[in-house]
Amino acid sequence: MMITSQAWLWLSILAGAVSVGMAGYLYAWVNRQDPGSERAREVATWIREGATSYLRRLYSALGLLALALGVVIAIVFSLDIENLGLRTLQFDPSRGAVVAVAYVFGALCSSLAGYMGMSVAVAANVRTATAADDGLGPAFRVSFLGGAVMGLATVGIAVLGMSTIFMLTHDPEIVLGFSFGASGLALLAKAGGGIYTKTADIAADLVGKVEVGIPEDDPRNPAVIADNVGDNVGDVAGTGADIFDSYVASSVAVMLLGATVFSGNAVEQLRYTVFPLVLCTLGIVASILGLQFVRVSEGGKPGAALNRGTVVTCIIFAALATVVVWAGGYNLGALLATLAGLIAGVLIGFTSDYFTSPGQSPVTNTARVSGSGAAINIIMGFSYGLVSIVPSLIGIALSTLLSYTVAQHFGLSGVYGVGVAAVGMLSISGMIVSADAYGPIVDNARGIAEMAGMRHEIIEISDELDSAGNTAKAITKGFSISAAALTVLALFAAYAEVVAARGVELTISLRDPLVVAGTLLGAMTPPLFSALTMLSVTGNAFAMIEEIRRQFRERPAILEGKEMPDYAKCVGLAAQDALKSLIIPALLAVVFPVLIGLVLGPEALGGFLGGSIFTGVIFALFMANAGGLWDNAKKYIEAGAYGGVGSEAHKASVVGDTVGDPFKDTAGPSLNTLITVMSLVSSLFAPVIAVFHLL
Amino acid sequence: MMITSQAWLWLSILAGAVSVGMAGYLYAWVNRQDPGSERAREVATWIREGATSYLRRLYSALGLLALALGVVIAIVFSLDIENLGLRTLQFDPSRGAVVAVAYVFGALCSSLAGYMGMSVAVAANVRTATAADDGLGPAFRVSFLGGAVMGLATVGIAVLGMSTIFMLTHDPEIVLGFSFGASGLALLAKAGGGIYTKTADIAADLVGKVEVGIPEDDPRNPAVIADNVGDNVGDVAGTGADIFDSYVASSVAVMLLGATVFSGNAVEQLRYTVFPLVLCTLGIVASILGLQFVRVSEGGKPGAALNRGTVVTCIIFAALATVVVWAGGYNLGALLATLAGLIAGVLIGFTSDYFTSPGQSPVTNTARVSGSGAAINIIMGFSYGLVSIVPSLIGIALSTLLSYTVAQHFGLSGVYGVGVAAVGMLSISGMIVSADAYGPIVDNARGIAEMAGMRHEIIEISDELDSAGNTAKAITKGFSISAAALTVLALFAAYAEVVAARGVELTISLRDPLVVAGTLLGAMTPPLFSALTMLSVTGNAFAMIEEIRRQFRERPAILEGKEMPDYAKCVGLAAQDALKSLIIPALLAVVFPVLIGLVLGPEALGGFLGGSIFTGVIFALFMANAGGLWDNAKKYIEAGAYGGVGSEAHKASVVGDTVGDPFKDTAGPSLNTLITVMSLVSSLFAPVIAVFHLL
């Protein structure tokens, strides 16, 4: 049975709608669960209000920015560049407007996915804690289905948006506008959330634990709510926006490549331009089926259940893709590239896990030397973090070569194969995001249980749920960074194709000094970006520390537990400072590449993108893994090894963990979004840059 | 007056001989100075014996390795590849033997330079301490002239070696063999020395200061001599070998480029092949003159004297180069490229200084937040370290573009211009190495003064000398990393030319998946290399800690000061472990690039080199600057800021300093040598790789 491309577009819209519908259904289900005692509900309300107020501020600030950039896009894409002396370009005001609308629509969709995920997270957290009263199984069910709302909403909205735009315009460059809107917002949501969460975390810890000696999550700490809000805005909203962005960008890259490399044959062109949406559709079906396999009975293992879900989803997806490619008469190379990406993604995810797993030698060695002080703990974790990039980089290099070669072997374009591998990797995002969003929900549930003074068994159950969340998170990180790498490699190819279509044949040769200069500047950008976000964290944390000290000083009754601290003040401060800190990084991501392209030319911009991919991937992996390793080395000691809690080794491991916090939660996670945004902005402005260069 | 190329070769041999002669004269002068009290001489003897025994072990181990590699080179270069079906290659056994001899000769010369420098350092240290009895001026004079022995020996031996080989063979590819010998040895000397010095330092501190509470440099500590030996083998022998290696490699790159790009005209070809040796000759003259300006009278500033020497040398060199290019009828582009390199090198050196200077905000901010704990200190230093790469990378990118453009503008080959810029930067190495080698001499002098129980004023003078040494070191590091970057860019171009000469026209395009895969693997190598060396440091330090504890446990009289600890045991342990730790990094540097070239082809190897340059430069700068910053933040607090010695801020800054130690003294400094070695091994094996690829 052959399904036409038009029919596939309708099917993908349907799949998107079903996914969003299911997310809505689960959202309602979560909300129907018991919200628990009055005290628990009160704590949950503070968190919910803090999180929503931050998101509202973020979105209104970013909304203005998006509108302003939309106007720029509308103007640039309306320029009648042909009259400036160019060949085949067809620009007109209506096209400008359409690209701008797609851009704003992308930003809106990305916000919506983040907002839905966060709304359910701040409802699921307290309900998970309450359900833990009935045991592990029910608590896991509430938290995982809460995560699934995020997973299904993310992929559903993404596919709905892309399919609708393509259905209406049949022009992948307009879908590119949508993708840029989504990624630009994702970058700021991710970086802003990352700064917010670690600002609050570090400030709360430094004054609370170190200066006045109250435990973590103690309600007397004025920053405690900001800390819990941070988990939601950083982890849930940020990660959702992040995967949304890679998911859309990889599909768009393949659509662009499909439209250019098959330009000789209109039917084939349409088939292979729509092919990524076909894969997304199958991925949604596989994820929805896979979610059914994630169940934990009493005494079961939550981590095993999450992994089971991922593996089942992969198998279903692979089977579906095989059937569709065979029955639909697609090129076999496309199937093999898809599977190469999928398998590489899973393997990379699981090998990353080795470097951060409590039982493996990187973590145990780091824990072991901690008895000799914080410095050794940090040198070890730092070194293992650098070693941890090796399997992923080899995996990315191999999957690039493999997908390129198989695609070419079967007569497809090689770069199209690389793009399809990225889409293959990301096709199971529905499941991956569900497992990932589960983490902060159980983390928050633990915090609420503590603050609301629930009984000890509940906190133990939360701890067990939490440790499964950490493993899922490690796998997701390796997975999403590798997927971003393949995505930007495909976008990179798409960039060159878009420029070539404007009559500038790019040779991005490392023997050209302009390319070398561009590559050096590109390679410099990701480390600079991470440094700027981390300096914001330390700077903002010190502002908040002053505020916490002020509250303790001016109202001593707070520390005696007789008076409520002013939580809202800290929540507001964290939000305001995080937003301010985004200005320079945002300029770096959007303005710098365009500037390089205009001043040094499109070849140098090609080098710039290449350079940013190489160091972006390296720093993203290194920071994520080193952070995870330090965290687990501390937990390993806390579980009783090398002297346990209170020993010198433990003190040292706490320092390592604190260093790792902004690595893994602020600087690292933004980097894959950064390189995606820079690639998208380059592809989007490629026609203008090419034209400027030809003038 | 025109000087023929042949005459220039004789002049450069003369300049090399004069430089070596002067080094010998100064060496004798240093040895004639008063070696001080019996106690001081005894301590100095321990250090000298430890250092010489380590160097002897290092050189005998490396000698075997060099001989083995020499045999491989002899065989490979003797292969009659033409009969395997190739065009113009002319290989014969006698050529193989000549390349191998040049290679071994390079390794020998590099060892000799390191050995001379270290011999004078272990004589000058105690004499500096003794001269401090007469005041700052005499002490500065002994230590600086000791450093000058190293500086003059390094450049003298390098120029003598290169000129002689070229005079005899007129074949730059044989000088390439010499360069590879020098760099291969430099890499192992640098990495081995770096591992040695930090192993001893960390072990001595952790048991001495932390566990039993005795001060730094206390003679009761069994590792104290190993620690002081480490300063010599790490800083003096290592740095000398390092600059030797860039100095030779940049000259060879230009010689190779000169021989290929001017191949149409035999006279011009010879003139521009010899041109880098002309610049080296002028640089030696400028450095010898510049050394005369480095004097400190009583109450003067040692740091200012060192900077004055550098600036005067630059001016003299620029004037000489201008005269020679004008009078000799060389292309004006060559002069401008030389000056571009020279100016960029100095500017990069001085801007790097900003990030590590005690008075500037990166250091003071890091010191200020230290009161809130070690973690914040580390996050801050880490972030500023990443920001510190920005001026250097922009400087490298600009000087590449500038030298390329001016060379091309005046009708020279652009890549030749980039190479000349590297030689221009390194031309003043005689002066730079002198100022750099001065640092460890005064550092050691301080240790001896402490251990020999000299009076307090002498230690104060040593401290003042030492702080000037740190500034000189920071400038040298920025300078030598940038020079290495330009050198490897020139080598990279030379690699492509060598391959092209064998009939394989390389397009190292970032749109080629093989190049992308190669670049990813290349980008991974420098971080992996630094991680491996740092893991060796921590591993070896723990072995030594066990040994120190054993001595204290089995012979309690040591701690009471009644019995001498077994210094030799620690010295031997550090040496043995450091040598063992070199095996994997050495394989990574030499075997990995050849493997990539053979398996993935010469284009992928081109990408590999490109990738290694980008991350190599970034990590080298980041690690050097972050390490320097933490060190100076600690010193800033020790000088009384934010609570001074003993405060919480001070404890935190000590952790930062300890983390920074292996960054700046082990992992960072080897990276520029690593990328040089990988570029050289690629250029050297390029014909074989090209031939293999054509088969």
Side-chain angles (χ1 to χ4, degrees):
Chain A
M1 175 198 67
M2 287 280 280
I3 303 176
T4 64
S5 300
Q6 193 63 23
W8 270 119
L9 278 176
W10 282 114
L11 281 176
S12 66
I13 290 179
L14 179 67
V18 167
S19 192
V20 173
M22 247 190 96
Y25 170 80
L26 290 176
Y27 183 58
W29 181 86
V30 167
N31 266 313
R32 277 201 310 275
Q33 305 307 304
D34 179 9
S37 69
E38 194 181 331
R39 173 74 187 145
R41 271 178 292 157
E42 190 187 6
V43 172
T45 307
W46 290 328
I47 297 176
R48 191 179 62 240
E49 283 176 359
T52 9
S53 101
Y54 169 70
L55 270 204
R56 219 172 291 130
R57 288 173 79 154
L58 176 75
Y59 290 152
S60 37
L62 296 189
L64 282 178
L65 187 72
L67 278 183
L69 207 49
V71 172
V72 172
I73 289 173
I75 293 170
V76 166
F77 280 83
S78 302
L79 282 178
D80 188 2
I81 295 187
E82 215 162 357
N83 283 344
L84 294 171
L86 272 156
R87 277 161 276 183
T88 52
L89 284 177
Q90 300 256 349
F91 282 138
D92 56 64
S94 69
R95 186 176 154 86
V98 171
V99 176
V101 167
Y103 163 77
V104 172
F105 183 50
L108 273 178
C109 283
S110 170
S111 322
L112 183 65
Y115 192 82
M116 266 191 85
M118 226 199 45
S119 306
V120 73
V122 294
N125 52 11
V126 60
R127 289 166 175 83
T128 299
T130 308
D133 214 20
D134 303 332
L136 182 69
F140 179 77
R141 192 163 169 75
V142 174
S143 51
F144 179 71
L145 291 182
V149 171
M150 180 77 190
L152 293 170
T154 300
V155 295
I157 294 173
V159 170
L160 254 183
M162 288 189 290
S163 307
T164 312
I165 293 180
F166 190 75
M167 176 85 99
L168 294 174
T169 64
H170 272 242
D171 180 349
E173 285 190 38
I174 292 172
V175 191
L176 185 64
F178 175 81
S179 180
F180 179 56
S183 291
L185 194 110
L187 178 65
L188 298 176
K190 192 93 195 147
I195 294 172
Y196 186 115
T197 177
K198 291 304 127 180
T199 299
D201 189 17
I202 289 178
D205 279 4
L206 282 183
V207 185
K209 286 198 218 166
V210 181
E211 291 184 13
V212 300
I214 54 178
E216 173 124 27
D217 288 333
D218 191 294
R220 285 170 292 175
N221 195 326
V224 70
I225 297 294
D227 189 5
N228 277 281
V229 168
D231 289 344
N232 287 293
V233 299
D235 288 351
V236 186
T239 304
D242 178 20
I243 298 263
F244 188 94
D245 125 84
S246 306
Y247 189 72
V248 172
S250 63
S251 304
V252 170
V254 178
M255 291 170 86
L256 278 171
L257 289 169
T260 41
V261 298
F262 291 94
S263 57
N265 176 330
V267 175
E268 290 292 286
Q269 186 187 32
L270 185 59
R271 268 161 67 80
Y272 285 96
T273 306
V274 172
F275 186 65
L277 296 175
V278 174
L279 292 180
C280 291
T281 305
L282 303 179
I284 288 180
V285 175
S287 297
I288 291 178
L289 295 174
L291 290 176
Q292 316 307 318
F293 289 81
V294 186
R295 275 163 210 275
V296 176
S297 51
E298 216 51 42
K301 294 235 170 283
L306 292 173
N307 287 346
R308 190 167 57 235
T310 306
V311 171
V312 167
T313 306
C314 284
I315 293 172
I316 297 175
F317 172 76
L320 288 175
T322 308
V323 169
V324 166
V325 167
W326 274 99
Y330 287 99
N331 187 304
L332 203 61
L335 174 65
L336 294 176
T338 307
L339 298 181
L342 181 68
I343 294 168
V346 174
L347 287 182
I348 290 171
F350 282 95
T351 49
S352 294
D353 191 39
Y354 167 79
F355 285 93
T356 56
S357 281
Q360 306 293 347
S361 60
V363 168
T364 52
N365 280 346
T366 307
R368 183 172 53 81
V369 301
S370 300
S372 297
I376 303 287
N377 167 290
I378 287 177
I379 295 169
M380 275 286 221
F382 182 89
S383 305
Y384 277 122
L386 287 179
V387 176
S388 79
I389 67 175
V390 173
S392 300
L393 283 182
I394 292 177
I396 294 167
L398 281 184
S399 51
T400 306
L401 281 179
L402 205 66
S403 54
Y404 189 94
T405 314
V406 292
Q408 220 167 28
H409 179 77
F410 285 94
L412 269 179
S413 144
V415 287
Y416 186 83
V418 176
V420 166
V423 176
M425 232 184 224
L426 285 160
S427 57
I428 56 162
S429 292
M431 179 67 213
I432 295 284
V433 176
S434 302
D436 194 52
Y438 152 90
I441 292 177
V442 294
D443 194 13
N444 247 256
R446 197 198 174 287
I448 291 173
E450 189 91 48
M451 281 187 278
M454 295 187 179
R455 64 198 171 83
H456 190 62
E457 288 75 26
I458 292 183
I459 292 171
E460 272 179 5
I461 287 177
S462 316
D463 274 340
E464 194 175 343
L465 292 174
D466 196 20
S467 88
N470 279 334
T471 307
K473 203 165 166 179
I475 294 175
T476 310
K477 270 179 183 164
F479 176 90
S480 67
I481 293 166
S482 313
L486 281 189
T487 300
V488 289
L489 287 176
L491 274 174
F492 186 64
Y495 160 75
E497 293 293 340
V498 170
V499 174
R502 264 71 191 184
V504 181
E505 191 51 60
L506 279 194
T507 351
I508 308 170
S509 164
L510 285 176
R511 297 178 64 184
D512 176 352
L514 277 171
V515 173
V516 170
T519 315
L520 280 169
L521 297 175
M524 174 188 94
T525 307
L528 178 61
F529 186 91
S530 40
L532 292 177
T533 55
M534 288 199 294
L535 287 175
S536 298
V537 167
T538 45
N540 298 351
F542 275 86
M544 191 179 289
I545 285 174
E546 285 310 315
E547 168 61 24
I548 304 173
R549 286 186 184 144
R550 189 192 61 79
Q551 293 200 17
F552 283 151
R553 192 176 55 237
E554 293 179 2
R555 297 160 55 203
I558 294 178
L559 259 183
E560 296 158 21
K562 292 180 189 148
E563 209 176 298
M564 272 236 313
D566 185 353
Y567 298 134
K569 193 79 201 261
C570 286
V571 170
L573 200 63
Q576 171 196 321
D577 286 351
L579 290 177
K580 266 193 222 149
S581 307
L582 289 178
I583 297 168
I584 295 174
L587 289 177
L588 201 60
V590 177
V591 178
F592 200 28
V594 176
L595 212 64
I596 297 274
L598 293 178
V599 175
L600 299 179
E603 285 88 5
L605 178 56
F608 178 88
L609 291 180
S612 73
I613 295 171
F614 304 130
T615 53
V617 171
I618 288 176
F619 273 88
L621 288 165
F622 153 62
M623 293 184 131
N625 292 340
L629 187 153
W630 277 314
D631 190 0
N632 280 329
K634 185 192 74 173
K635 289 190 172 135
Y636 188 69
I637 293 174
E638 284 174 351
Y642 306 113
V645 177
S647 64
E648 283 305 312
H650 183 241
K651 280 181 204 152
S653 71
V654 168
V655 174
D657 181 39
T658 313
V659 171
D661 263 350
F663 275 42
K664 72 178 186 338
D665 295 324
T666 307
S670 310
L671 288 179
N672 44 353
T673 317
L674 172 72
I675 56 179
T676 315
V677 167
M678 296 203 302
S679 301
L680 285 169
V681 78
S682 305
S683 297
L684 193 65
F685 285 93
V688 181
I689 289 166
V691 165
F692 189 84
H693 186 68
L694 284 181
L695 287 182
Chain B
M1 176 198 66
M2 287 281 279
I3 303 176
T4 64
S5 300
Q6 193 64 24
W8 270 119
L9 277 177
W10 283 113
L11 280 177
S12 66
I13 291 178
L14 180 68
V18 168
S19 191
V20 173
M22 247 190 95
Y25 170 79
L26 290 176
Y27 182 58
W29 180 86
V30 167
N31 266 311
R32 277 201 310 274
Q33 304 308 304
D34 179 8
S37 70
E38 194 181 331
R39 172 75 187 144
R41 270 178 292 156
E42 191 187 7
V43 172
T45 308
W46 290 328
I47 297 176
R48 190 178 63 240
E49 285 177 357
T52 2
S53 102
Y54 168 72
L55 269 204
R56 218 174 291 130
R57 289 174 78 154
L58 176 76
Y59 290 153
S60 37
L62 296 188
L64 282 178
L65 187 72
L67 278 183
L69 208 50
V71 172
V72 172
I73 289 173
I75 293 170
V76 166
F77 281 83
S78 302
L79 282 177
D80 188 2
I81 295 187
E82 215 161 357
N83 283 345
L84 294 171
L86 273 157
R87 279 160 271 184
T88 52
L89 285 178
Q90 300 253 350
F91 281 138
D92 56 62
S94 69
R95 185 176 155 85
V98 171
V99 176
V101 166
Y103 162 78
V104 172
F105 184 49
L108 274 178
C109 283
S110 168
S111 322
L112 183 65
Y115 193 81
M116 267 191 84
M118 225 201 44
S119 306
V120 74
V122 294
N125 51 11
V126 61
R127 290 167 174 82
T128 299
T130 309
D133 214 19
D134 302 332
L136 182 68
F140 179 78
R141 191 162 171 75
V142 174
S143 52
F144 180 72
L145 291 181
V149 171
M150 180 78 190
L152 293 170
T154 300
V155 294
I157 295 173
V159 169
L160 255 182
M162 288 190 289
S163 309
T164 311
I165 293 180
F166 190 77
M167 176 84 100
L168 295 174
T169 64
H170 273 242
D171 180 350
E173 286 191 37
I174 292 171
V175 192
L176 185 65
F178 175 81
S179 180
F180 178 55
S183 291
L185 195 110
L187 178 64
L188 298 176
K190 192 93 195 146
I195 293 172
Y196 185 115
T197 178
K198 290 304 126 181
T199 298
D201 189 18
I202 290 178
D205 279 4
L206 283 182
V207 185
K209 285 198 218 167
V210 181
E211 290 184 12
V212 300
I214 53 179
E216 173 123 30
D217 288 333
D218 190 292
R220 286 170 292 176
N221 194 329
V224 71
I225 298 294
D227 189 5
N228 276 281
V229 168
D231 289 344
N232 287 292
V233 300
D235 288 352
V236 187
T239 304
D242 178 21
I243 298 265
F244 188 93
D245 126 84
S246 306
Y247 189 71
V248 172
S250 63
S251 305
V252 170
V254 178
M255 291 171 85
L256 278 171
L257 289 169
T260 42
V261 298
F262 291 94
S263 57
N265 176 332
V267 175
E268 288 292 286
Q269 186 186 32
L270 185 60
R271 268 163 64 82
Y272 285 96
T273 306
V274 172
F275 186 65
L277 296 174
V278 173
L279 292 180
C280 290
T281 306
L282 303 180
I284 289 180
V285 175
S287 296
I288 291 178
L289 295 174
L291 290 176
Q292 315 307 319
F293 289 80
V294 185
R295 275 165 209 276
V296 176
S297 51
E298 216 52 41
K301 295 235 169 284
L306 292 173
N307 286 347
R308 188 167 59 236
T310 306
V311 171
V312 168
T313 306
C314 284
I315 293 171
I316 297 175
F317 172 75
L320 288 176
T322 308
V323 169
V324 166
V325 167
W326 275 99
Y330 287 99
N331 187 302
L332 204 61
L335 175 66
L336 294 177
T338 307
L339 298 181
L342 182 68
I343 293 168
V346 175
L347 287 183
I348 290 172
F350 282 94
T351 49
S352 294
D353 192 39
Y354 166 79
F355 285 93
T356 57
S357 280
Q360 307 292 347
S361 59
V363 169
T364 51
N365 280 345
T366 307
R368 183 172 54 80
V369 300
S370 300
S372 297
I376 302 288
N377 168 289
I378 287 177
I379 294 169
M380 275 286 222
F382 182 90
S383 306
Y384 277 122
L386 287 178
V387 177
S388 79
I389 68 176
V390 172
S392 300
L393 283 182
I394 291 177
I396 295 167
L398 281 184
S399 51
T400 306
L401 281 179
L402 205 65
S403 55
Y404 190 94
T405 315
V406 292
Q408 221 168 28
H409 180 77
F410 285 95
L412 269 180
S413 143
V415 287
Y416 186 83
V418 176
V420 165
V423 176
M425 232 184 224
L426 284 160
S427 58
I428 56 164
S429 292
M431 179 67 213
I432 294 284
V433 175
S434 303
D436 193 51
Y438 152 92
I441 293 177
V442 293
D443 193 15
N444 248 255
R446 197 198 173 286
I448 292 173
E450 189 91 48
M451 281 187 277
M454 295 186 180
R455 62 198 173 85
H456 190 63
E457 288 75 24
I458 293 184
I459 292 172
E460 272 178 3
I461 288 178
S462 316
D463 275 340
E464 193 174 345
L465 293 173
D466 197 20
S467 87
N470 279 333
T471 307
K473 204 165 166 178
I475 294 175
T476 309
K477 272 181 181 162
F479 176 89
S480 67
I481 294 166
S482 314
L486 281 189
T487 299
V488 289
L489 287 176
L491 275 174
F492 186 66
Y495 160 76
E497 294 292 341
V498 170
V499 174
R502 265 70 190 184
V504 181
E505 191 51 58
L506 280 193
T507 349
I508 309 170
S509 164
L510 285 176
R511 297 178 63 184
D512 176 352
L514 277 170
V515 173
V516 170
T519 315
L520 279 168
L521 298 175
M524 172 187 97
T525 307
L528 178 60
F529 186 91
S530 39
L532 291 176
T533 54
M534 288 199 295
L535 287 174
S536 297
V537 167
T538 46
N540 298 353
F542 275 86
M544 190 179 288
I545 285 174
E546 285 309 314
E547 169 60 24
I548 305 173
R549 287 184 184 148
R550 189 192 62 80
Q551 293 199 17
F552 282 151
R553 192 175 55 236
E554 293 177 4
R555 295 161 56 204
I558 294 178
L559 259 182
E560 296 158 20
K562 292 180 190 151
E563 212 176 296
M564 271 235 315
D566 185 353
Y567 297 135
K569 193 75 199 260
C570 286
V571 169
L573 199 64
Q576 173 196 319
D577 286 350
L579 290 178
K580 266 194 222 149
S581 308
L582 289 178
I583 298 169
I584 294 174
L587 289 177
L588 201 60
V590 177
V591 179
F592 200 29
V594 176
L595 213 64
I596 296 274
L598 293 178
V599 175
L600 299 179
E603 286 87 4
L605 178 55
F608 178 87
L609 292 179
S612 73
I613 295 171
F614 305 130
T615 53
V617 172
I618 287 176
F619 273 87
L621 288 166
F622 153 62
M623 293 185 131
N625 292 341
L629 186 151
W630 278 313
D631 190 0
N632 280 330
K634 185 192 76 171
K635 289 189 174 137
Y636 187 70
I637 292 175
E638 284 174 351
Y642 306 113
V645 177
S647 63
E648 283 304 313
H650 183 239
K651 280 181 204 152
S653 71
V654 168
V655 174
D657 182 39
T658 313
V659 171
D661 263 349
F663 275 43
K664 73 177 183 341
D665 295 324
T666 307
S670 310
L671 289 179
N672 44 351
T673 317
L674 172 72
I675 56 179
T676 315
V677 168
M678 296 204 301
S679 301
L680 285 168
V681 79
S682 306
S683 296
L684 193 65
F685 286 92
V688 181
I689 289 166
V691 164
F692 190 86
H693 185 69
L694 284 180
L695 287 181

